[in-house]
PDB file of all heavy atoms in Angstrom:
ATOM      1  N   SER A 400     -12.169 -40.342 -14.723  1.00  0.00           N
ATOM      2  CA  SER A 400     -12.014 -40.623 -13.306  1.00  0.00           C
ATOM      3  C   SER A 400     -13.189 -40.153 -12.462  1.00  0.00           C
ATOM      4  O   SER A 400     -13.384 -40.647 -11.348  1.00  0.00           O
ATOM      5  CB  SER A 400     -10.719 -39.997 -12.780  1.00  0.00           C
ATOM      6  OG  SER A 400     -10.721 -38.596 -12.979  1.00  0.00           O
ATOM      7  N   VAL A 401     -13.976 -39.192 -12.974  1.00  0.00           N
ATOM      8  CA  VAL A 401     -15.094 -38.658 -12.202  1.00  0.00           C
ATOM      9  C   VAL A 401     -16.440 -38.893 -12.865  1.00  0.00           C
ATOM     10  O   VAL A 401     -17.474 -38.605 -12.257  1.00  0.00           O
ATOM     11  CB  VAL A 401     -14.917 -37.147 -11.926  1.00  0.00           C
ATOM     12  CG1 VAL A 401     -13.573 -36.867 -11.272  1.00  0.00           C
ATOM     13  CG2 VAL A 401     -15.080 -36.332 -13.205  1.00  0.00           C
ATOM     14  N   LYS A 402     -16.440 -39.409 -14.081  1.00  0.00           N
ATOM     15  CA  LYS A 402     -17.681 -39.612 -14.822  1.00  0.00           C
ATOM     16  C   LYS A 402     -18.623 -40.527 -14.045  1.00  0.00           C
ATOM     17  O   LYS A 402     -18.219 -41.576 -13.547  1.00  0.00           O
ATOM     18  CB  LYS A 402     -17.371 -40.198 -16.195  1.00  0.00           C
ATOM     19  CG  LYS A 402     -18.523 -40.160 -17.184  1.00  0.00           C
ATOM     20  CD  LYS A 402     -18.064 -40.612 -18.565  1.00  0.00           C
ATOM     21  CE  LYS A 402     -16.977 -39.706 -19.122  1.00  0.00           C
ATOM     22  NZ  LYS A 402     -16.532 -40.128 -20.477  1.00  0.00           N
ATOM     23  N   GLY A 403     -19.864 -40.111 -13.932  1.00  0.00           N
ATOM     24  CA  GLY A 403     -20.856 -40.861 -13.183  1.00  0.00           C
ATOM     25  C   GLY A 403     -20.943 -40.482 -11.724  1.00  0.00           C
ATOM     26  O   GLY A 403     -21.906 -40.859 -11.055  1.00  0.00           O
ATOM     27  N   ARG A 404     -19.952 -39.752 -11.221  1.00  0.00           N
ATOM     28  CA  ARG A 404     -19.948 -39.332  -9.821  1.00  0.00           C
ATOM     29  C   ARG A 404     -20.092 -37.824  -9.668  1.00  0.00           C
ATOM     30  O   ARG A 404     -20.718 -37.356  -8.718  1.00  0.00           O
ATOM     31  CB  ARG A 404     -18.658 -39.777  -9.129  1.00  0.00           C
ATOM     32  CG  ARG A 404     -18.446 -41.280  -9.123  1.00  0.00           C
ATOM     33  CD  ARG A 404     -17.256 -41.666  -8.245  1.00  0.00           C
ATOM     34  NE  ARG A 404     -16.004 -41.098  -8.729  1.00  0.00           N
ATOM     35  CZ  ARG A 404     -15.251 -40.248  -8.040  1.00  0.00           C
ATOM     36  NH1 ARG A 404     -15.608 -39.866  -6.821  1.00  0.00           N
ATOM     37  NH2 ARG A 404     -14.115 -39.788  -8.560  1.00  0.00           N
ATOM     38  N   PHE A 405     -19.510 -37.064 -10.583  1.00  0.00           N
ATOM     39  CA  PHE A 405     -19.532 -35.602 -10.516  1.00  0.00           C
ATOM     40  C   PHE A 405     -20.473 -35.049 -11.583  1.00  0.00           C
ATOM     41  O   PHE A 405     -20.593 -35.614 -12.679  1.00  0.00           O
ATOM     42  CB  PHE A 405     -18.139 -35.017 -10.756  1.00  0.00           C
ATOM     43  CG  PHE A 405     -17.145 -35.263  -9.663  1.00  0.00           C
ATOM     44  CD1 PHE A 405     -17.401 -36.130  -8.615  1.00  0.00           C
ATOM     45  CD2 PHE A 405     -15.922 -34.610  -9.689  1.00  0.00           C
ATOM     46  CE1 PHE A 405     -16.472 -36.358  -7.612  1.00  0.00           C
ATOM     47  CE2 PHE A 405     -14.982 -34.816  -8.695  1.00  0.00           C
ATOM     48  CZ  PHE A 405     -15.255 -35.691  -7.659  1.00  0.00           C
ATOM     49  N   THR A 406     -21.112 -33.921 -11.283  1.00  0.00           N
ATOM     50  CA  THR A 406     -22.010 -33.263 -12.218  1.00  0.00           C
ATOM     51  C   THR A 406     -21.752 -31.766 -12.217  1.00  0.00           C
ATOM     52  O   THR A 406     -21.737 -31.136 -11.161  1.00  0.00           O
ATOM     53  CB  THR A 406     -23.484 -33.518 -11.863  1.00  0.00           C
ATOM     54  OG1 THR A 406     -23.748 -34.926 -11.840  1.00  0.00           O
ATOM     55  CG2 THR A 406     -24.395 -32.864 -12.900  1.00  0.00           C
ATOM     56  N   ILE A 407     -21.537 -31.201 -13.398  1.00  0.00           N
ATOM     57  CA  ILE A 407     -21.366 -29.761 -13.561  1.00  0.00           C
ATOM     58  C   ILE A 407     -22.690 -29.149 -14.003  1.00  0.00           C
ATOM     59  O   ILE A 407     -23.378 -29.697 -14.866  1.00  0.00           O
ATOM     60  CB  ILE A 407     -20.272 -29.438 -14.588  1.00  0.00           C
ATOM     61  CG1 ILE A 407     -18.929 -29.981 -14.127  1.00  0.00           C
ATOM     62  CG2 ILE A 407     -20.179 -27.937 -14.835  1.00  0.00           C
ATOM     63  CD1 ILE A 407     -17.837 -29.842 -15.168  1.00  0.00           C
ATOM     64  N   SER A 408     -23.025 -28.017 -13.420  1.00  0.00           N
ATOM     65  CA  SER A 408     -24.197 -27.273 -13.843  1.00  0.00           C
ATOM     66  C   SER A 408     -23.890 -25.786 -13.770  1.00  0.00           C
ATOM     67  O   SER A 408     -22.871 -25.378 -13.203  1.00  0.00           O
ATOM     68  CB  SER A 408     -25.421 -27.621 -12.986  1.00  0.00           C
ATOM     69  OG  SER A 408     -25.197 -27.286 -11.629  1.00  0.00           O
ATOM     70  N   ARG A 409     -24.761 -24.980 -14.366  1.00  0.00           N
ATOM     71  CA  ARG A 409     -24.547 -23.540 -14.309  1.00  0.00           C
ATOM     72  C   ARG A 409     -25.873 -22.812 -14.246  1.00  0.00           C
ATOM     73  O   ARG A 409     -26.891 -23.294 -14.746  1.00  0.00           O
ATOM     74  CB  ARG A 409     -23.713 -23.055 -15.503  1.00  0.00           C
ATOM     75  CG  ARG A 409     -24.396 -23.160 -16.860  1.00  0.00           C
ATOM     76  CD  ARG A 409     -23.397 -22.878 -17.987  1.00  0.00           C
ATOM     77  NE  ARG A 409     -22.840 -21.537 -17.898  1.00  0.00           N
ATOM     78  CZ  ARG A 409     -21.725 -21.138 -18.500  1.00  0.00           C
ATOM     79  NH1 ARG A 409     -21.026 -21.998 -19.242  1.00  0.00           N
ATOM     80  NH2 ARG A 409     -21.298 -19.891 -18.366  1.00  0.00           N
ATOM     81  N   ASP A 410     -25.833 -21.652 -13.611  1.00  0.00           N
ATOM     82  CA  ASP A 410     -26.978 -20.764 -13.531  1.00  0.00           C
ATOM     83  C   ASP A 410     -26.484 -19.409 -14.008  1.00  0.00           C
ATOM     84  O   ASP A 410     -25.854 -18.673 -13.247  1.00  0.00           O
ATOM     85  CB  ASP A 410     -27.524 -20.696 -12.112  1.00  0.00           C
ATOM     86  CG  ASP A 410     -28.809 -19.893 -12.013  1.00  0.00           C
ATOM     87  OD1 ASP A 410     -29.040 -19.015 -12.860  1.00  0.00           O
ATOM     88  OD2 ASP A 410     -29.591 -20.141 -11.074  1.00  0.00           O
ATOM     89  N   ASN A 411     -26.742 -19.098 -15.265  1.00  0.00           N
ATOM     90  CA  ASN A 411     -26.220 -17.860 -15.837  1.00  0.00           C
ATOM     91  C   ASN A 411     -26.889 -16.621 -15.256  1.00  0.00           C
ATOM     92  O   ASN A 411     -26.320 -15.531 -15.305  1.00  0.00           O
ATOM     93  CB  ASN A 411     -26.354 -17.886 -17.361  1.00  0.00           C
ATOM     94  CG  ASN A 411     -25.363 -18.824 -18.020  1.00  0.00           C
ATOM     95  OD1 ASN A 411     -24.369 -19.226 -17.412  1.00  0.00           O
ATOM     96  ND2 ASN A 411     -25.626 -19.178 -19.267  1.00  0.00           N
ATOM     97  N   VAL A 412     -28.098 -16.776 -14.720  1.00  0.00           N
ATOM     98  CA  VAL A 412     -28.755 -15.654 -14.062  1.00  0.00           C
ATOM     99  C   VAL A 412     -28.032 -15.306 -12.763  1.00  0.00           C
ATOM    100  O   VAL A 412     -27.797 -14.139 -12.452  1.00  0.00           O
ATOM    101  CB  VAL A 412     -30.240 -15.956 -13.795  1.00  0.00           C
ATOM    102  CG1 VAL A 412     -30.871 -14.834 -12.983  1.00  0.00           C
ATOM    103  CG2 VAL A 412     -30.981 -16.152 -15.105  1.00  0.00           C
ATOM    104  N   LYS A 413     -27.661 -16.326 -11.998  1.00  0.00           N
ATOM    105  CA  LYS A 413     -26.921 -16.124 -10.758  1.00  0.00           C
ATOM    106  C   LYS A 413     -25.424 -15.945 -10.990  1.00  0.00           C
ATOM    107  O   LYS A 413     -24.685 -15.666 -10.045  1.00  0.00           O
ATOM    108  CB  LYS A 413     -27.142 -17.296  -9.809  1.00  0.00           C
ATOM    109  CG  LYS A 413     -28.563 -17.427  -9.298  1.00  0.00           C
ATOM    110  CD  LYS A 413     -28.683 -18.580  -8.319  1.00  0.00           C
ATOM    111  CE  LYS A 413     -30.085 -18.689  -7.757  1.00  0.00           C
ATOM    112  NZ  LYS A 413     -30.215 -19.822  -6.808  1.00  0.00           N
ATOM    113  N   ASN A 414     -24.983 -16.138 -12.231  1.00  0.00           N
ATOM    114  CA  ASN A 414     -23.572 -15.977 -12.580  1.00  0.00           C
ATOM    115  C   ASN A 414     -22.694 -16.948 -11.783  1.00  0.00           C
ATOM    116  O   ASN A 414     -21.613 -16.600 -11.306  1.00  0.00           O
ATOM    117  CB  ASN A 414     -23.109 -14.541 -12.338  1.00  0.00           C
ATOM    118  CG  ASN A 414     -22.466 -13.913 -13.557  1.00  0.00           C
ATOM    119  OD1 ASN A 414     -22.718 -14.316 -14.697  1.00  0.00           O
ATOM    120  ND2 ASN A 414     -21.630 -12.913 -13.333  1.00  0.00           N
ATOM    121  N   THR A 415     -23.161 -18.178 -11.667  1.00  0.00           N
ATOM    122  CA  THR A 415     -22.498 -19.173 -10.840  1.00  0.00           C
ATOM    123  C   THR A 415     -22.455 -20.523 -11.553  1.00  0.00           C
ATOM    124  O   THR A 415     -23.413 -20.900 -12.239  1.00  0.00           O
ATOM    125  CB  THR A 415     -23.216 -19.325  -9.491  1.00  0.00           C
ATOM    126  OG1 THR A 415     -23.242 -18.058  -8.822  1.00  0.00           O
ATOM    127  CG2 THR A 415     -22.500 -20.326  -8.603  1.00  0.00           C
ATOM    128  N   VAL A 416     -21.346 -21.231 -11.386  1.00  0.00           N
ATOM    129  CA  VAL A 416     -21.162 -22.583 -11.897  1.00  0.00           C
ATOM    130  C   VAL A 416     -20.964 -23.512 -10.705  1.00  0.00           C
ATOM    131  O   VAL A 416     -20.345 -23.126  -9.706  1.00  0.00           O
ATOM    132  CB  VAL A 416     -19.967 -22.655 -12.856  1.00  0.00           C
ATOM    133  CG1 VAL A 416     -19.803 -24.057 -13.418  1.00  0.00           C
ATOM    134  CG2 VAL A 416     -20.137 -21.658 -13.987  1.00  0.00           C
ATOM    135  N   TYR A 417     -21.470 -24.741 -10.812  1.00  0.00           N
ATOM    136  CA  TYR A 417     -21.451 -25.674  -9.695  1.00  0.00           C
ATOM    137  C   TYR A 417     -20.764 -26.974 -10.088  1.00  0.00           C
ATOM    138  O   TYR A 417     -20.770 -27.386 -11.247  1.00  0.00           O
ATOM    139  CB  TYR A 417     -22.869 -25.993  -9.227  1.00  0.00           C
ATOM    140  CG  TYR A 417     -23.680 -24.781  -8.872  1.00  0.00           C
ATOM    141  CD1 TYR A 417     -24.517 -24.186  -9.803  1.00  0.00           C
ATOM    142  CD2 TYR A 417     -23.614 -24.225  -7.600  1.00  0.00           C
ATOM    143  CE1 TYR A 417     -25.266 -23.067  -9.484  1.00  0.00           C
ATOM    144  CE2 TYR A 417     -24.354 -23.108  -7.268  1.00  0.00           C
ATOM    145  CZ  TYR A 417     -25.179 -22.534  -8.210  1.00  0.00           C
ATOM    146  OH  TYR A 417     -25.914 -21.425  -7.881  1.00  0.00           O
ATOM    147  N   LEU A 418     -20.194 -27.631  -9.090  1.00  0.00           N
ATOM    148  CA  LEU A 418     -19.667 -28.976  -9.246  1.00  0.00           C
ATOM    149  C   LEU A 418     -20.208 -29.824  -8.103  1.00  0.00           C
ATOM    150  O   LEU A 418     -19.776 -29.678  -6.957  1.00  0.00           O
ATOM    151  CB  LEU A 418     -18.139 -28.991  -9.243  1.00  0.00           C
ATOM    152  CG  LEU A 418     -17.493 -30.363  -9.406  1.00  0.00           C
ATOM    153  CD1 LEU A 418     -17.783 -30.932 -10.796  1.00  0.00           C
ATOM    154  CD2 LEU A 418     -15.985 -30.284  -9.168  1.00  0.00           C
ATOM    155  N   GLN A 419     -21.173 -30.680  -8.410  1.00  0.00           N
ATOM    156  CA  GLN A 419     -21.721 -31.606  -7.430  1.00  0.00           C
ATOM    157  C   GLN A 419     -20.870 -32.867  -7.431  1.00  0.00           C
ATOM    158  O   GLN A 419     -20.728 -33.519  -8.460  1.00  0.00           O
ATOM    159  CB  GLN A 419     -23.171 -31.944  -7.758  1.00  0.00           C
ATOM    160  CG  GLN A 419     -23.807 -32.953  -6.808  1.00  0.00           C
ATOM    161  CD  GLN A 419     -23.944 -32.421  -5.403  1.00  0.00           C
ATOM    162  OE1 GLN A 419     -24.477 -31.342  -5.198  1.00  0.00           O
ATOM    163  NE2 GLN A 419     -23.454 -33.178  -4.428  1.00  0.00           N
ATOM    164  N   MET A 420     -20.310 -33.212  -6.282  1.00  0.00           N
ATOM    165  CA  MET A 420     -19.420 -34.352  -6.152  1.00  0.00           C
ATOM    166  C   MET A 420     -20.058 -35.384  -5.233  1.00  0.00           C
ATOM    167  O   MET A 420     -20.289 -35.116  -4.055  1.00  0.00           O
ATOM    168  CB  MET A 420     -18.060 -33.923  -5.607  1.00  0.00           C
ATOM    169  CG  MET A 420     -17.392 -32.826  -6.427  1.00  0.00           C
ATOM    170  SD  MET A 420     -15.728 -32.425  -5.832  1.00  0.00           S
ATOM    171  CE  MET A 420     -16.123 -31.737  -4.219  1.00  0.00           C
ATOM    172  N   ASN A 421     -20.331 -36.551  -5.771  1.00  0.00           N
ATOM    173  CA  ASN A 421     -20.921 -37.649  -5.020  1.00  0.00           C
ATOM    174  C   ASN A 421     -19.969 -38.833  -4.992  1.00  0.00           C
ATOM    175  O   ASN A 421     -19.037 -38.920  -5.780  1.00  0.00           O
ATOM    176  CB  ASN A 421     -22.253 -38.077  -5.641  1.00  0.00           C
ATOM    177  CG  ASN A 421     -23.297 -36.992  -5.629  1.00  0.00           C
ATOM    178  OD1 ASN A 421     -23.382 -36.204  -4.682  1.00  0.00           O
ATOM    179  ND2 ASN A 421     -24.121 -36.940  -6.673  1.00  0.00           N
ATOM    180  N   SER A 422     -20.233 -39.759  -4.086  1.00  0.00           N
ATOM    181  CA  SER A 422     -19.423 -40.975  -3.959  1.00  0.00           C
ATOM    182  C   SER A 422     -17.941 -40.647  -3.900  1.00  0.00           C
ATOM    183  O   SER A 422     -17.117 -41.228  -4.605  1.00  0.00           O
ATOM    184  CB  SER A 422     -19.724 -41.931  -5.125  1.00  0.00           C
ATOM    185  OG  SER A 422     -21.091 -42.271  -5.166  1.00  0.00           O
ATOM    186  N   LEU A 423     -17.592 -39.717  -3.037  1.00  0.00           N
ATOM    187  CA  LEU A 423     -16.217 -39.227  -2.965  1.00  0.00           C
ATOM    188  C   LEU A 423     -15.254 -40.329  -2.549  1.00  0.00           C
ATOM    189  O   LEU A 423     -15.581 -41.192  -1.729  1.00  0.00           O
ATOM    190  CB  LEU A 423     -16.127 -38.060  -1.996  1.00  0.00           C
ATOM    191  CG  LEU A 423     -16.695 -36.734  -2.524  1.00  0.00           C
ATOM    192  CD1 LEU A 423     -16.909 -35.757  -1.381  1.00  0.00           C
ATOM    193  CD2 LEU A 423     -15.751 -36.137  -3.567  1.00  0.00           C
ATOM    194  N   LYS A 424     -14.060 -40.267  -3.121  1.00  0.00           N
ATOM    195  CA  LYS A 424     -12.977 -41.188  -2.822  1.00  0.00           C
ATOM    196  C   LYS A 424     -11.782 -40.409  -2.294  1.00  0.00           C
ATOM    197  O   LYS A 424     -11.661 -39.212  -2.525  1.00  0.00           O
ATOM    198  CB  LYS A 424     -12.565 -41.954  -4.088  1.00  0.00           C
ATOM    199  CG  LYS A 424     -13.693 -42.675  -4.789  1.00  0.00           C
ATOM    200  CD  LYS A 424     -13.211 -43.282  -6.101  1.00  0.00           C
ATOM    201  CE  LYS A 424     -14.320 -44.000  -6.827  1.00  0.00           C
ATOM    202  NZ  LYS A 424     -13.857 -44.580  -8.120  1.00  0.00           N
ATOM    203  N   SER A 425     -10.886 -41.096  -1.617  1.00  0.00           N
ATOM    204  CA  SER A 425      -9.712 -40.426  -1.076  1.00  0.00           C
ATOM    205  C   SER A 425      -8.882 -39.777  -2.181  1.00  0.00           C
ATOM    206  O   SER A 425      -8.272 -38.722  -1.961  1.00  0.00           O
ATOM    207  CB  SER A 425      -8.852 -41.397  -0.271  1.00  0.00           C
ATOM    208  OG  SER A 425      -8.418 -42.481  -1.073  1.00  0.00           O
TER     209      SER A 425
END
């Protein structure tokens, strides 16, 4: 349902994980 629109990344130095969400739908 989110493939191609959402991207997960991580920065282990900053101890943080991210979720970039594009082309958002209701």
Side-chain angles (χ1 to χ4, degrees):
S400 59
V401 306
K402 194 173 299 181
R404 300 188 298 118
F405 290 10
T406 302
I407 298 173
S408 61
R409 67 190 299 161
D410 186 334
N411 287 343
V412 174
K413 294 182 178 179
N414 234 24
T415 302
V416 182
Y417 305 94
L418 180 66
Q419 178 66 52
M420 305 184 294
N421 298 324
S422 302
L423 285 164
K424 306 174 180 179
S425 59

